[in-house]
Amino acid sequence: MTDEGPAIGDDEPAESTFRLDEVLSPNVGRSLRKLPNLVAMALRITWRAARREFVVSAALQVTAGVAVAGQLLAGRQVLEHVVRGQVAGGFADTLPALAAFALLTAVVAFSSLASIEQQRLLTELTARFAMGQVLTVAGTVDLVSYDNPAFHDRLRRAQVNAQVRPAQMTSGVFGLLTSGFAILGIGGALLVIQPQFVVVVMLGYIPAWVITKRASRVGYQFALEQTERDRRRDYLAVVLTGKDEAKEMRAFGLSRYLRGRYEHLYDQRIVDMRTLVRRRLTLGLIGGLITSALTAGTVAVLVWFVVTGRTPVSAAGAAAGGVLLLGQRLQSVAASAGLLYESSLFLEDFASFLDLQPAIEAARPKGTPPPAFQRLVVEDVWFQYPAATSPALRGVSLEIGAGEVVALVGENGSGKTTLAKVLAGLYAPRQGRVTWDGVDVAECDPDRVRDAVAVVFQDFIRYHLTARENVVMGRPDRAADSDHFTTATARAQADTFLRRLPNGYDTQLGPHFFGGTDLSIGQWQRVALARAYFRDAPFLILDEPTSALDPRAEYELFNNIRELFAGRAVLLISHRFSSVRSADRVYVLHEGEVVESGSHEGLMARKGLYAELFTLQAASYLEAGG
Ligand code: ADP
């Protein structure tokens, strides 16, 4: 049994969702302890994504930090000259210090500017890299994850966070280092001049830090709470702007109704946002008041020292400058640390999403399925969707041999598509097994299993790419095989109309992009069939493959199905009973169970569900004909 599998739980159906549930629940509390790891992760991401920009940016920041310290020293020297000016030297003596001061000011200004520009690139490159990782995870998680809203919440946040957080965290680290470095310099100088002030100024920033941290947390909590609502709003925006939806929007006059829903969701967000802004402003105000009170107090004490003659004017002047600079730096430390803390919260969420990947890899079975099976056996298969309260498949058993056409029929919702997805290796059964020549598919690498299967889903995708790409994507590594391409399009009867397009097979399909041509739904279905032929797999699953085809195309497909797929195992799902008559075996599904099976004749003789549905359909055709 494959209790190793990521989407398989043994007893509780609800657990079939994930063993990955732990990584799916973000835990804010641990963030602070994890900060060093997260910082390391952010730096690693930045390093891998944008090494050069990282080094240049770091060098510029360090340069700026050193230059600021130099500025203070040069400034003090100028000041000393000013104070001593009347007694000795004269203006000429101050020139070197003044020149150094001017040069250092220019260095600070330029390195800060250059660093900002470098960070622009850095942000873009890290965002691309982080987004690439999100796409990798999204491409490898089991299909069942997509049935789970929690997964969609996480995916959305990961996408949003990938855009900014790693770069934000890196710049937070840089900012912290630069300011820290400058504080050491300024603080050191001040300690010599007026030690007591250093302590007071530093103490003044503790409340600023505590408050920044609190504000970050509030912001993070807000983002967490909004995710589901934001997704709903995004969904409505897609419906309101999508091409496929546009006709119903107009025909049913839905735009106003859905727009109302959209605005309502936005109103709720804005209300929450106002609360957030109020809370953050209040926090900022309190912090600002405490800090400025302390700064004002420090300056007042300084003035008092000068007035009462305890401190000479030059020392007080330097100290005042130092206190001011230190204050600025401490403020940027608080800002950088706040940024770091805030991005760490988001980055932890992001990191736990990326953790899905190793979990999937570790849980992935390593076995090799037979390249082409002679016999596929389904034994007592149960499956339940994560959000469902009852199983969609209940103890299904069936067999398909190579060279056979096996049909699956049943009413809507009886489980046909679900079974097709299980057989295609897209869903893992909760119980029971699927074997290929005796090899349990659940113990095989799912990529290899899927490699041997070609599926045409009833809701196949219309790719807005060229006609050729739409077909060769069935097996991209054979894209250059033109004979194979010709055969596939001809078998699907897609060759004639595709060749007639403005640029033939190289015509862009779909109206999304310039030069694009849309097809009729039936023509799209033939393209989807051509893709399946091109895949050339030993096991073929056709889920309502002719729903949009005209009667002639449908007749030809079913009539030639054996010839078209000679030697392959074919599972055919159809609600058109006439088309399944010639199947080797028909399985009738009802509420997730196989209730009847056999040949058409045998099933008719049984006078069960199949006979009833067949007769109903035949009668409706006759009535329509008569
Ligand atoms: P059929 O193909 O026979 O019409 P399906 O296999 O699509 O039926 O669906 C079988 C049952 O599973 C139905 O009750 C349907 O509502 C339910 N179902 C299908 N897809 C999902 C899903 N992603 N999440 C939850 N329930 C689903």
Side-chain angles (χ1 to χ4, degrees):
M1 211 34 246
T2 50
D3 40 21
E4 298 283 324
I8 307 164
D10 267 348
D11 13 71
E12 272 302 302
E15 277 177 20
S16 70
T17 332
F18 284 122
R19 292 188 45 205
L20 309 171
D21 259 343
E22 310 124 45
V23 257
L24 276 181
S25 61
N27 186 339
V28 181
R30 291 171 301 162
S31 278
L32 213 54
R33 260 190 293 129
K34 283 192 170 176
L35 195 62
N37 282 344
L38 291 168
V39 169
M41 176 189 168
L43 291 175
R44 215 170 32 243
I45 289 180
T46 319
W47 183 248
R48 285 179 63 187
R51 192 162 306 182
R52 201 175 50 168
E53 289 71 16
F54 181 81
V55 171
V56 173
S57 193
L60 287 166
Q61 302 243 15
V62 172
T63 310
V66 175
V68 169
Q71 239 182 339
L72 187 68
L73 291 177
R76 193 190 59 186
Q77 233 180 329
V78 174
L79 217 62
E80 267 173 19
H81 280 289
V82 172
V83 175
R84 285 187 287 121
Q86 283 94 353
V87 259
F91 183 64
D93 273 6
T94 60
L95 278 182
L98 259 181
F101 186 80
L103 184 72
L104 286 167
T105 308
V107 170
V108 172
F110 179 74
S111 44
S112 305
L113 181 76
S115 168
I116 288 171
E117 291 306 322
Q118 283 298 313
Q119 281 188 28
R120 203 188 295 282
L121 265 173
L122 193 84
T123 308
E124 194 79 27
L125 288 164
T126 43
R128 176 193 173 166
F129 182 82
M131 192 61 195
Q133 293 193 306
V134 173
L135 294 179
T136 305
V137 176
T140 28
V141 290
D142 278 304
L143 183 63
V144 78
S145 305
Y146 282 86
D147 292 314
N148 187 336
F151 173 75
H152 289 284
D153 275 3
R154 301 299 313 282
L155 177 60
R156 184 196 151 93
R157 279 204 303 277
Q159 278 175 307
V160 173
N161 290 336
Q163 299 297 316
V164 285
R165 302 300 169 186
Q168 202 179 51
M169 192 153 195
T170 310
S171 74
V173 172
F174 277 146
L176 206 60
L177 286 179
T178 314
S179 307
F181 197 56
I183 285 168
L184 281 184
I186 303 164
L190 260 185
L191 270 180
V192 178
I193 311 166
Q194 289 288 330
Q196 57 277 58
F197 293 131
V198 182
V199 182
V200 179
V201 174
M202 291 224 168
L203 283 180
Y205 283 87
I206 292 177
W209 160 239
V210 171
I211 279 162
T212 312
K213 203 177 128 203
R214 178 90 199 116
S216 301
R217 234 167 221 280
V218 175
Y220 175 69
Q221 205 58 42
F222 171 80
L224 276 192
E225 285 163 10
Q226 299 296 320
T227 320
E228 160 90 13
R229 193 186 288 155
D230 287 352
R231 280 201 302 115
R232 279 183 194 279
R233 209 184 59 240
D234 285 356
Y235 167 72
L236 289 173
V238 167
V239 172
L240 284 163
T241 55
K243 187 249 170 192
D244 290 339
E245 294 83 356
K247 54 182 183 297
E248 284 208 19
M249 286 302 105
R250 281 148 187 77
F252 286 85
L254 286 177
S255 296
R256 259 190 61 194
Y257 171 74
L258 290 178
R259 181 67 196 278
R261 296 275 303 265
Y262 173 90
E263 295 298 343
H264 180 63
L265 287 168
Y266 228 142
D267 284 346
Q268 290 176 320
R269 182 182 164 88
I270 301 289
V271 168
D272 289 354
M273 189 111 182
R274 284 188 200 285
T275 313
L276 172 76
V277 167
R278 251 197 321 272
R279 287 180 69 187
R280 285 171 69 127
L281 273 179
T282 312
L283 287 168
L285 190 68
I286 297 170
L289 282 177
I290 298 173
T291 307
S292 29
L294 276 161
T295 313
T298 315
V299 174
V301 172
L302 197 61
V303 171
W304 183 64
F305 273 20
V306 175
V307 172
T308 54
R310 283 161 211 249
T311 306
V313 180
S314 68
V323 166
L324 223 63
L325 272 180
L326 191 63
Q328 277 174 6
R329 290 294 154 177
L330 282 168
Q331 211 146 28
S332 48
V333 162
S336 297
L339 196 68
L340 205 62
Y341 180 70
E342 184 170 326
S343 37
S344 80
L345 293 174
F346 285 102
L347 209 62
E348 180 179 13
D349 194 25
F350 177 72
S352 70
F353 182 80
L354 295 190
D355 277 348
L356 292 173
Q357 181 68 19
I360 294 161
E361 292 304 334
R364 184 184 284 270
K366 303 283 183 290
T368 312
F373 57 81
Q374 286 305 308
R375 197 126 212 98
L376 177 153
V377 180
V378 178
E379 294 167 45
D380 189 32
V381 159
W382 290 71
F383 179 81
Q384 179 161 351
Y385 287 101
T389 47
S390 61
L393 297 177
R394 305 156 178 270
V396 170
S397 298
L398 54 82
E399 282 189 39
I400 310 173
E404 280 186 340
V405 176
V406 165
L408 216 52
V409 299
E411 289 148 298
N412 292 340
S414 54
K416 303 183 294 295
T417 299
T418 308
L419 181 57
K421 286 181 185 157
V422 170
L423 294 185
L426 298 170
Y427 288 143
R430 179 185 118 194
Q431 195 182 306
R433 39 181 228 155
V434 178
T435 57
W436 290 6
D437 290 343
V439 178
D440 188 345
V441 169
E443 280 157 18
C444 299
D445 180 346
D447 284 343
R448 292 189 171 206
V449 172
R450 291 168 202 159
D451 201 49
V453 186
V455 200
V456 179
F457 292 109
Q458 54 179 323
D459 53 349
F460 57 86
I461 302 296
R462 292 175 258 175
Y463 296 99
H464 290 206
L465 301 166
T466 66
R468 188 185 300 282
E469 282 174 296
N470 261 280
V471 175
V472 300
M473 280 195 318
R475 186 72 74 192
D477 49 1
R478 284 184 75 181
D481 188 340
S482 56
D483 289 346
H484 188 45
F485 177 80
T486 311
T487 318
T489 46
R491 284 186 168 178
Q493 300 186 0
D495 51 344
T496 321
F497 70 87
L498 286 180
R499 268 204 302 260
R500 281 199 209 117
L501 293 172
N503 285 323
Y505 291 122
D506 295 315
T507 306
Q508 164 79 37
L509 297 189
H512 261 301
F513 303 106
F514 284 113
T517 309
D518 209 356
L519 302 176
S520 79
I521 180 78
Q523 288 172 327
W524 273 113
Q525 193 161 36
R526 292 189 203 199
V527 172
L529 272 168
R531 187 159 56 240
Y533 288 122
F534 195 83
R535 188 161 177 78
D536 196 19
F539 181 28
L540 196 87
I541 300 173
L542 302 170
D543 190 353
E544 303 284 5
T546 61
S547 56
L549 295 193
D550 55 58
R552 192 191 305 280
E554 180 178 23
Y555 176 81
E556 281 173 14
L557 173 70
F558 289 132
N559 223 25
N560 302 329
I561 201 161
R562 277 177 207 285
E563 188 193 323
L564 289 172
F565 300 107
R568 302 197 163 76
V570 180
L571 179 73
L572 172 65
I573 300 176
S574 180
H575 66 272
R576 216 77 60 106
F577 282 78
S578 54
S579 64
V580 304
R581 279 180 81 148
S582 62
D584 294 290
R585 249 183 334 285
V586 180
Y587 291 92
V588 185
L589 273 180
H590 182 67
E591 294 181 356
E593 283 179 79
V594 174
V595 287
E596 291 169 23
S597 65
S599 66
H600 167 75
E601 290 73 23
L603 288 169
M604 287 308 284
R606 248 183 90 120
K607 297 196 190 316
L609 184 60
Y610 179 88
E612 183 192 334
L613 294 172
F614 185 91
T615 316
L616 265 175
Q617 206 171 63
S620 72
Y621 274 131
L622 285 177
E623 274 166 26

